[in-house]
Amino acid sequence: MKKGGPVPNTPVEVSTVVDGTLVVQPHGPVGIDCAAELRHILVRAVRKVRPWRVMVDLSDVSALDPIGVGTLAAACHVGDDDNVIVSICTSSAAIASRLTAAGVPPQRLRRTR
């Protein structure tokens, strides 16, 4: 996992902000290929890197398929098990609704404009 820029061959950026939060930002549509890479990044972040918080920023995501939704819901639960806060930031009401329906706790979602 490379800090501060895109992970090679993927549309996902990973960076760390001043307070220690790891920010994971996918770009474009999150389909099966991107969801697999996103899952790998999130599991490694929660299980190995163990920041106090992982923020998944979906502000530049144009579509999120069911595998991506499940990946994000599972990341929240894995984070809970490992005492790492996983939160998701999105500007899309439709994506937020799908994530909530998949089991992402509403308090883990932040709506941006």
Side-chain angles (χ1 to χ4, degrees):
M1 180 177 330
K2 184 178 177 183
K3 292 183 181 177
V7 175
N9 301 318
T10 66
V12 180
E13 289 182 41
V14 179
S15 60
T16 302
V17 294
V18 177
D19 71 357
T21 298
L22 187 75
V23 179
V24 178
Q25 185 177 28
H27 300 280
V30 176
I32 191 163
D33 293 335
C34 185
E37 185 64 27
L38 184 60
R39 182 185 70 243
H40 173 76
I41 289 168
L42 292 171
V43 168
R44 185 172 191 288
V46 170
R47 294 278 167 102
K48 304 283 185 196
V49 177
R50 300 189 51 79
W52 77 277
R53 182 172 74 165
V54 175
M55 169 64 72
V56 182
D57 181 355
L58 301 179
S59 62
D60 196 35
V61 169
S62 57
L64 187 63
D65 78 354
I67 293 173
V69 170
T71 295
L72 294 172
C76 289
H77 297 296
V78 170
D80 288 345
D81 291 345
D82 287 2
N83 296 314
V84 175
I85 299 167
V86 177
S87 54
I88 302 168
C89 188
T90 182
S91 59
S92 167
I95 289 176
S97 176
R98 291 177 65 205
L99 290 167
T100 302
V104 173
Q107 65 270 20
R108 297 299 175 95
L109 292 172
R110 280 192 14 206
R111 291 287 312 277
T112 60
R113 296 182 196 252

